[in-house]
Amino acid sequence: VFYCITNSPEVIWTKTMLDMLQSNVQNHIQGFLSALQQDPYATYTFQEMDTIEYPGLDQELRCGNYYIRNVIENPEWNIENVEEVLQDALELASHTERVNQILLIRACSVLFKKKRYRRKEAIKNFEGFPLILRLVNLDRDRPDLSSENLELLNVSCELIFYSVWTSDENLTNFLKLKGLSRLCNLLWCCSRNVNECYSILTFVLKIVCRLLPSPITRDQVALNTDIIRDILSCLTVGQPFEIVSLAMQCLIELSQEDRLAQAVFKNGGHFYLLDFILSFNPSAAGDAELEKLNQLSVSACLVLGNISGIYKPQNEPLTSTEEKLQSALAQLLTKGNLERMRQQSEFQFIGGLTEAYESPVSIWNESTRNELASFIRSRIQAHQHSQQEEPDTLSFTFSAHQQELQIDGIFLRYYIQNPSWRLQNARSFVCKLLAEIEGSTQQTEKLTLILQSLYFVLTETQGLEKLIVSSEALDQFFVLLSASETTLQSLVLNIFLHATANQACVDAICASNRLPQFVSFLRNGELEQRRILLEVVSNMVSCSARAVEGITTSGLILYLLHYVVSSSDEQLCGQSLGVLKQTKSSSGLDTRFSDATKLFLPAYLVATLDRPANFLHIFSKEIRSPNIVWDSKCRSAVQQHVSSTLSNFQSSNSKEWNYSSVQRLNFEELCGQTIVGGVYLDLYLDRPEARLHNPASFIDECMSTFSSSSDNQLQSKLLLALSNLLTHYSPWAHYIAKQTPQHLQTLLSYFNNTSMDEQALAALLKIIVILAHVPACRKKFHQTSIIAQLLGSLEGHPNFEELVIRTVYLLVKKETAFIKQVLDAQGLPTILQVLDKKGSAAKYAVALIKSMVVDRKYDSHVRQLLAGREQILQDRSKLPQPEWVSILALTPSVQTPYIEPVEADARAQQVASLQRSNTSIQLQVSTPSTAGVPSQKIAPLERATTQPAITHKPQHVAHPQAAEAPAKSTPVPPAKPAELRQQPLPEAIPDASAPVPPVPFDAPPPPPPAAPSAPPPAKRPAASAGRGALLDSIVAGKKLKHVKAPTEEERKNRRNVASPSSGGGDNLMSALAGALAQRRTAMITDLAANPFADEQDDDDSEEWD
């Protein structure tokens, strides 16, 4: 050291100092040297040598064994006694002049920056915060912003920054000493003097980023929200790039807790971010300052999307503040732009704001953009210059939007022009439309737009129909139906027409007993509206049993019948027939509809409702057949009866119609015919081969008449008609088998009726013969006296012998139980008499007797009665077959009511084809639809920035040189460390992917992260990946492992290497997007890197906060 020239923290030794020492020593021993020349044996007499004052050393500050200036200039020098140096520096700084304080505090920062020293207790638990906080204290009213004090503030903030990042103990101690309030003062004072205080603001914001994850910090910020206002004051257009980025990071941290996010909202944080977003200039190519501003615009969009919850997955609930923010943004940006922000990348979204755009959710043009920018500036100024808080509900409306009807963020006029537009929350839109109807009952034009929009949203979106059948909504709709505006009525009915295709909606309408209100509208509605309503009713009947029931009980059936038999409008007639057809086919076992229609129409005509063309053809013609007699007299009677019944119902103002109180139209009197079971009896007897419409009904009424009527003439006709039916259509014998044995006994009793003529009895015998061939009838004949009645009939009608004996033989042969009836009726002698006549019946008599003997139970008894005539049993002739009548099966097709085939005339077919009405809405809009198509570019926003723009790179203010320093001047504090400087923009690499926020700074916390780029339009990633994961890592405050940070040279090389997936581009904005995309990888690496990136000689295995 003695012979080497050095200038280190431990030793300062220069050539001048060496020469001075040599000169002083030589002067000191000059006398001794002279004595030696005279006397070689002279001895040195010790004397005190004068103190040597080396020039410049008196100006050097020394702590422990180290010179402070050289410690600053040689930060890599290993300090052995760190605690002693730190303690001496703090003690000396507490009472020395300001210039020396700057050096001492800068030296302390050097100690904190070395990782190897952080194991020291004095570093981990820093005791210099009281001194440092005293030095950074500024008076808000009269802040000292002299160049010397600014440098002191700068080095003090640097020391605070590195100390709070060194350990959690330091962070906690700093907060306990109210350090946050001092930072608040610094922000307030320095943000108004950005040019001079650039470095101070940078350090303060980084410190705040480090403090905010701490619960203590959050509690203090919640108690004093001034720091939020001060942070936001740094977030204005014109502020330096790095300061704005750090302020955005602070904003993200503040928004992680709802109470602080609420404070950010109250202080208008979203306005500051929107100001950056609107400052985006698509023509920034070649202008470095504008390109930086564009990067900040993209970052502001990313931050705003995160703090407002727009980037959250849809299934993740929003906080109260996020809901308020999204509500405010929907008003400011319009709902359409807000949705584009959610779906598109930041770069795409901001670029889209530079284009005019009109859609159902957004009207965006240069006028609206400028109007929004002006409003944002006014809100920022209001928050900057006052304690004004942002209200929960924003009162702002674009002048262009005031001319439009907007509900739930949807412009109704544009939505009607483009109803296929995909709504994000159609359910909410429908609810808001329904709520708006109630307060707009007197505004026809507004109601028209609302109802048109409601119709379209229901037809384009499934599953919303139930919303319009609530009790409140139905009340509003029926109020509109009762009004005189036919346009509104048509719209309401078309809404019902769509809703009633849903069974649940129909059930809801029926449950609230709304059919009577429909009936009331039919009475007063216009023709076109009545047509639409019949379509509604048709839908209801087709899917709901309750509606089918209501057609009759509500009296709607009267209107339908009236339109069919009396209306001059063919469309209305055809639609009514269609509804009647549906009601009839859907009635099932419910007979109310059938009973009600038969009050006015013949049964056969009611049956033809299933065939509207046939019904109309028959109704307009004159027909005489066993099934119907119809002429002009009947037609007029029906029309009059329907009209009078409808008039009586309307005059009663009743909501229900009791059809049982209406007298049935007597078609027997009108036609002069006897009608039994829908059969015109005389015509049927004249045409016995005719096929009956409903034989089952005829048989049932015949059996009932046999039991109740004493009219022998009518009974004879019925027996002849029944005989005709079974002769020509034998399967119906199976249906008679379903009658009770009492009915069959009544039928058999007519053999004893002496008033019956021969023809009627012959018909009766034919009926019994046919029934005897049906096994089910034979079973029921067991409970009758059929054998006695048959054999008894031979006394007065000998010509019946063959049929009677043959029938008895059939019964005995098939059922041996009938032998007892023969014996009980003492019928064997009668049988023997028939045998003795040797007629055609004799062989059946022999067969009958043999069949009786075969049965062991009755063998002895029969033989006893045959005493003396046993030779009959010796007859070896072959017995005849018992059955001789073929009875076909009663199939479902046979039981189906028969409709005579007719060829309906052209008019009947035409009217029947009008069952469905053409009720599509013809909506008129004032202008052609151009929704959703960007029309033109918007000129860049021209306005004064909210802060003066900085056109030069801010520099640190130099220390004033120490007065009278002979050795060297006071060292100027170095400029910002390289790792904290703004990185130069790399060579643009064209890429179509979305840009990311600005290049991160090594000092944590990192800038707002972005999701990995994806080709548009890509779905936004879930919170578990991409930008969400990076933001979560910031918020969680996890310990970051010390990984090997790439060198600055490696980073530059990596950024300058073009990605193979980068697409080509022919403009600088595409190149900017590609360059920003390349930084994502570097940013993710930097997030886990040590902020003290200048150290690479420490132990990399240690974990640090």
Side-chain angles (χ1 to χ4, degrees):
V1 172
F2 185 78
Y3 290 104
C4 296
I5 305 304
T6 183
N7 190 2
S8 68
E10 294 186 65
V11 177
I12 298 177
W13 191 249
T14 66
K15 182 67 168 58
T16 302
M17 295 171 69
L18 179 59
D19 292 343
M20 185 180 293
L21 176 60
Q22 289 174 345
S23 176
N24 284 353
V25 172
Q26 189 174 8
N27 290 337
H28 179 70
I29 64 173
Q30 186 63 41
F32 177 63
L33 293 176
S34 299
L36 282 178
Q37 290 177 357
Q38 297 174 5
D39 183 5
Y41 297 100
T43 59
Y44 172 71
T45 303
F46 176 78
Q47 293 180 354
E48 288 281 347
M49 191 175 79
D50 296 335
T51 302
I52 304 173
E53 293 185 2
Y54 295 109
L57 283 184
D58 58 338
Q59 299 297 323
E60 294 292 340
L61 299 175
R62 188 174 177 84
C63 296
N65 297 323
Y66 300 92
Y67 294 101
I68 293 303
R69 293 181 191 273
N70 288 349
V71 169
I72 295 173
E73 293 179 354
N74 300 276
E76 73 284 351
W77 196 272
N78 187 34
I79 308 298
E80 296 294 339
N81 51 340
V82 175
E83 293 91 342
E84 181 182 354
V85 174
L86 184 60
Q87 184 177 2
D88 290 349
L90 293 175
E91 290 179 0
L92 186 58
S94 63
H95 57 268
T96 188
E97 58 187 1
R98 186 174 292 177
V99 173
N100 292 333
Q101 286 177 332
I102 293 173
L103 293 174
L104 292 167
I105 293 173
R106 177 58 63 87
C108 292
S109 295
V110 171
L111 298 179
F112 275 91
K113 290 176 66 176
K114 298 299 290 182
K115 182 175 179 181
R116 65 170 65 92
Y117 301 150
R118 280 179 236 127
R119 299 184 182 92
K120 306 294 184 180
E121 183 62 28
I123 299 296
K124 292 171 58 178
N125 198 346
F126 183 49
E127 297 179 354
F129 284 129
L131 170 64
I132 304 302
L133 292 176
R134 188 170 70 250
L135 295 178
V136 300
N137 188 28
L138 285 179
D139 184 1
R140 286 202 177 200
D141 297 328
R142 301 180 62 185
D144 181 6
L145 298 180
S146 62
S147 60
E148 191 176 61
N149 195 49
L150 286 177
E151 189 58 42
L152 179 60
L153 292 174
N154 181 66
V155 296
S156 299
C157 290
E158 182 182 17
L159 177 57
I160 295 173
F161 169 68
Y162 285 111
S163 62
V164 296
W165 268 98
T166 299
S167 67
D168 289 337
E169 291 86 349
N170 287 345
L171 185 148
T172 303
N173 292 336
F174 178 78
L175 292 172
K176 288 181 178 179
L177 293 172
K178 308 300 182 184
L180 191 61
S181 62
R182 301 296 172 85
L183 295 179
C184 180
N185 286 341
L186 278 176
L187 278 176
W188 192 89
C189 297
C190 295
S191 61
R192 285 152 179 78
N193 299 273
V194 181
N195 288 336
E196 295 81 7
C197 304
Y198 174 83
S199 182
I200 298 173
L201 281 174
T202 302
F203 278 121
V204 171
L205 289 172
K206 290 179 179 179
I207 295 168
V208 174
C209 287
R210 165 60 173 154
L211 297 178
L212 281 176
S214 169
I216 301 175
T217 307
R218 295 176 184 270
D219 292 339
Q220 293 184 5
V221 173
L223 294 174
N224 180 16
T225 59
D226 286 344
I227 193 170
I228 295 178
R229 184 178 294 107
D230 296 330
I231 291 173
L232 292 175
S233 67
C234 300
L235 193 63
T236 50
V237 176
Q239 293 279 23
F241 184 90
E242 183 177 4
I243 290 177
V244 173
S245 296
L246 287 170
M248 289 182 184
Q249 295 173 41
C250 294
L251 211 58
I252 287 183
E253 286 292 346
L254 288 169
S255 301
Q256 302 306 315
E257 188 172 327
D258 195 48
R259 56 177 177 168
L260 301 184
Q262 173 76 1
V264 172
F265 173 77
K266 289 294 185 182
N267 284 280
H270 49 297
F271 290 115
Y272 292 85
L273 295 171
L274 285 171
D275 197 30
F276 276 98
I277 291 174
L278 293 184
S279 67
F280 182 83
N281 190 335
S283 304
D287 190 326
E289 291 300 324
L290 288 180
E291 287 180 352
K292 288 182 181 179
L293 187 59
N294 283 354
Q295 292 182 46
L296 292 177
S297 299
V298 175
S299 297
C301 180
L302 178 60
V303 174
L304 183 61
N306 280 294
I307 69 175
S308 61
I310 291 176
Y311 294 156
K312 278 187 174 181
Q314 292 186 353
N315 58 351
E316 187 174 343
L318 298 176
T319 64
S320 60
T321 303
E322 289 172 343
E323 290 176 350
K324 294 176 185 176
L325 268 172
Q326 291 197 20
S327 176
L329 291 177
Q331 286 184 264
L332 295 169
L333 293 174
T334 72
K335 191 172 182 180
N337 282 331
L338 188 65
E339 188 56 37
R340 289 199 306 110
M341 184 178 180
R342 180 178 286 109
Q343 294 178 348
Q344 297 178 347
S345 68
E346 294 78 22
F347 187 77
Q348 288 174 323
F349 167 69
I350 296 178
L353 293 181
T354 63
E355 297 176 343
Y357 195 81
E358 291 183 348
S359 74
V361 290
S362 178
I363 300 177
W364 185 259
N365 50 41
E366 186 170 355
S367 174
T368 57
R369 193 276 311 274
N370 294 340
E371 188 176 354
L372 176 60
S374 177
F375 176 75
I376 288 174
R377 289 199 304 273
S378 67
R379 295 307 304 155
I380 291 176
Q381 292 172 1
H383 286 293
Q384 285 180 334
H385 298 96
S386 68
Q387 299 292 327
Q388 182 179 0
E389 288 189 350
E390 194 67 26
D392 290 344
T393 303
L394 185 65
S395 57
F396 171 75
T397 305
F398 291 102
S399 57
H401 295 180
Q402 292 175 352
Q403 304 171 6
E404 300 287 342
L405 179 57
Q406 183 182 18
I407 297 177
D408 196 30
I410 308 297
F411 298 100
L412 300 193
R413 183 169 64 90
Y414 285 91
Y415 178 67
I416 293 169
Q417 294 172 1
N418 189 8
S420 59
W421 183 272
R422 184 169 176 243
L423 300 173
Q424 293 302 315
N425 193 344
R427 177 174 293 274
S428 172
F429 182 45
V430 170
C431 293
K432 296 290 179 61
L433 288 173
L434 293 174
E436 198 70 24
I437 292 176
E438 185 175 2
S440 310
T441 52
Q442 303 301 321
Q443 304 175 45
T444 303
E445 184 177 353
K446 181 178 180 180
L447 278 173
T448 301
L449 289 175
I450 292 174
L451 293 175
Q452 287 175 345
S453 301
L454 187 59
Y455 173 79
F456 281 131
V457 72
L458 292 175
T459 55
E460 295 292 332
T461 310
Q462 296 182 354
L464 302 178
E465 293 81 6
K466 290 184 180 180
L467 296 176
I468 68 167
V469 293
S470 64
S471 178
E472 297 80 6
L474 290 174
D475 288 339
Q476 295 174 13
F477 286 135
F478 281 107
V479 167
L480 296 179
L481 282 179
S482 63
S484 58
E485 289 291 337
T486 57
T487 302
L488 299 181
Q489 291 174 346
S490 296
L491 287 169
V492 170
L493 290 173
N494 275 282
I495 290 172
F496 277 133
L497 181 60
H498 176 77
T500 50
N502 182 298
Q503 182 176 352
C505 294
V506 176
D507 289 338
I509 293 174
C510 295
S512 57
N513 197 26
R514 301 289 178 169
L515 273 176
Q517 291 176 280
F518 282 137
V519 172
S520 176
F521 178 77
L522 279 176
R523 178 178 180 179
N524 304 313
E526 298 292 334
L527 176 61
E528 184 61 31
Q529 282 70 47
R530 280 184 284 171
R531 289 175 177 175
I532 302 175
L533 180 55
L534 289 184
E535 286 293 295
V536 174
V537 174
S538 176
N539 282 352
M540 296 175 65
V541 171
S542 65
C543 63
S544 173
R546 301 185 68 169
V548 173
E549 175 185 340
I551 291 294
T552 302
T553 58
S554 67
L556 184 57
I557 189 175
L558 294 175
Y559 287 90
L560 299 175
L561 290 172
H562 176 70
Y563 295 150
V564 169
V565 302
S566 302
S567 176
S568 59
D569 184 73
E570 293 183 351
Q571 176 72 61
L572 207 59
C573 176
Q575 287 183 256
S576 300
L577 265 177
V579 176
L580 290 172
K581 174 184 176 181
Q582 287 180 311
T583 306
K584 179 177 179 296
S585 61
S586 303
S587 295
L589 298 178
D590 188 354
T591 61
R592 279 178 288 192
F593 174 80
S594 176
D595 294 343
T597 51
K598 288 177 182 178
L599 295 173
F600 308 97
L601 297 172
Y604 184 79
L605 207 54
V606 171
T608 59
L609 288 174
D610 290 330
R611 303 178 184 182
N614 287 10
F615 176 91
L616 292 173
H617 177 80
I618 295 172
F619 188 81
S620 60
K621 302 297 182 181
E622 294 191 1
I623 298 176
R624 293 181 65 84
S625 76
N627 292 315
I628 184 172
V629 173
W630 188 256
D631 51 25
S632 58
K633 183 179 180 181
C634 295
R635 191 161 39 252
S636 299
V638 168
Q639 291 171 342
Q640 182 178 358
H641 190 36
V642 171
S643 298
S644 61
T645 305
L646 178 59
S647 299
N648 294 336
F649 175 66
Q650 290 175 340
S651 60
S652 67
N653 292 322
S654 175
K655 292 185 177 181
E656 291 188 2
W657 179 55
N658 182 13
Y659 69 89
S660 60
S661 62
V662 178
Q663 185 177 2
R664 187 169 185 169
L665 192 61
N666 192 338
F667 286 99
E668 287 187 340
E669 293 182 2
L670 289 172
C671 304
Q673 291 279 338
T674 301
I675 304 175
V676 177
V679 176
Y680 291 78
L681 202 56
D682 294 334
L683 292 177
Y684 184 49
L685 294 178
D686 293 341
R687 296 170 54 186
E689 74 286 350
R691 185 174 178 181
L692 298 183
H693 162 63
N694 191 352
S697 175
F698 173 66
I699 291 172
D700 290 338
E701 194 160 343
C702 282
M703 293 301 177
S704 176
T705 304
F706 286 144
S707 301
S708 59
S709 176
S710 58
D711 186 347
N712 289 331
Q713 185 179 2
L714 175 61
Q715 292 170 348
S716 298
K717 290 182 179 181
L718 290 177
L719 289 174
L720 291 171
L722 195 58
S723 173
N724 289 341
L725 174 64
L726 296 180
T727 301
H728 294 90
Y729 301 98
S730 62
W732 288 103
H734 295 284
Y735 185 82
I736 296 178
K738 298 178 181 179
Q739 302 293 325
T740 64
Q742 290 75 16
H743 283 121
L744 295 178
Q745 181 60 46
T746 301
L747 198 61
L748 292 170
S749 66
Y750 285 117
F751 281 117
N752 300 327
N753 191 337
T754 57
S755 300
M756 289 286 181
D757 57 15
E758 185 79 13
Q759 185 180 9
L761 290 177
L764 174 60
L765 180 59
K766 187 180 294 186
I767 293 171
I768 299 302
V769 169
I770 294 174
L771 294 181
H773 283 76
V774 179
C777 283
R778 291 197 294 265
K779 295 291 183 183
K780 293 189 176 180
F781 279 146
H782 288 167
Q783 305 175 41
T784 67
S785 58
I786 184 173
I787 300 296
Q789 297 289 352
L790 287 173
L791 295 178
S793 66
L794 295 179
E795 294 180 6
H797 307 282
N799 56 330
F800 294 169
E801 282 183 353
E802 183 177 354
L803 285 178
V804 169
I805 297 300
R806 199 169 182 178
T807 302
V808 174
Y809 170 58
L810 169 64
L811 294 172
V812 171
K813 187 67 174 179
K814 294 295 182 179
E815 303 282 346
T816 57
F818 286 106
I819 298 176
K820 185 175 185 305
Q821 283 197 27
V822 173
L823 297 177
D824 292 342
Q826 298 181 359
L828 191 57
T830 303
I831 297 171
L832 292 173
Q833 289 177 6
V834 172
L835 177 63
D836 293 339
K837 291 180 181 180
K838 305 295 183 179
S840 59
K843 61 178 179 178
Y844 297 106
V846 173
L848 173 59
I849 294 172
K850 289 184 176 180
S851 298
M852 294 174 63
V853 174
V854 170
D855 191 285
R856 293 182 179 181
K857 183 177 180 181
Y858 303 104
D859 176 50
S860 58
H861 190 189
V862 172
R863 289 182 182 274
Q864 184 178 355
L865 294 175
L866 289 175
R869 306 194 62 171
E870 290 83 355
Q871 70 276 8
I872 298 174
L873 301 177
Q874 304 301 320
D875 187 354
R876 299 299 180 184
S877 60
K878 185 178 180 180
L879 296 178
Q881 290 293 329
E883 296 122 332
W884 71 95
V885 178
S886 176
I887 307 297
L888 302 178
L890 185 62
T891 61
S893 61
V894 173
Q895 298 183 69
T896 302
Y898 171 71
I899 303 295
E900 295 181 19
V902 296
E903 185 175 354
D905 57 32
R907 180 185 176 279
Q909 293 181 11
Q910 179 183 356
V911 174
S913 67
L914 299 177
Q915 295 180 43
R916 305 297 295 184
S917 171
N918 182 18
T919 56
S920 60
I921 301 181
Q922 301 296 328
L923 298 180
Q924 300 296 327
V925 293
S926 57
T927 58
S929 173
T930 57
V933 181
S935 58
Q936 60 183 357
K937 295 287 184 180
I938 299 177
L941 191 64
E942 295 182 2
R943 58 173 173 78
T945 56
T946 52
Q947 286 288 336
I950 298 177
T951 58
H952 63 277
K953 185 172 181 179
Q955 300 291 337
H956 289 288
V957 179
H959 285 295
Q961 292 191 357
E964 299 179 1
K968 60 180 180 180
S969 61
T970 304
V972 177
K976 288 188 297 180
E979 68 275 9
L980 301 182
R981 295 180 189 161
Q982 177 182 331
Q983 299 296 328
L985 189 67
E987 182 181 352
I989 301 175
D991 188 7
S993 61
V996 295
V999 179
F1001 313 105
D1002 290 314
S1013 62
K1019 292 284 186 179
R1020 193 165 297 281
S1024 60
R1027 86 163 48 95
L1030 296 177
L1031 286 172
D1032 293 342
S1033 67
I1034 295 174
V1035 178
K1038 299 177 180 178
K1039 285 190 175 183
L1040 302 176
K1041 292 187 177 180
H1042 180 43
V1043 300
K1044 182 181 185 304
T1047 65
E1048 189 65 25
E1049 190 171 349
E1050 290 174 341
R1051 292 178 187 171
K1052 289 182 179 179
N1053 292 336
R1054 182 184 306 159
R1055 293 167 187 163
N1056 290 331
V1057 175
S1059 171
S1061 61
S1062 298
D1066 54 2
N1067 60 74
L1068 287 180
M1069 291 312 299
S1070 298
L1072 173 62
L1076 291 174
Q1078 298 306 313
R1079 298 183 184 178
R1080 283 195 168 130
T1081 304
M1083 183 189 68
I1084 296 172
T1085 303
D1086 292 342
L1087 285 177
N1090 193 327
F1092 308 96
D1094 58 336
E1095 298 184 41
Q1096 299 188 12
D1097 56 344
D1098 288 333
D1099 181 9
D1100 291 341
S1101 64
E1102 179 185 358
E1103 288 190 356
W1104 53 276
D1105 286 338

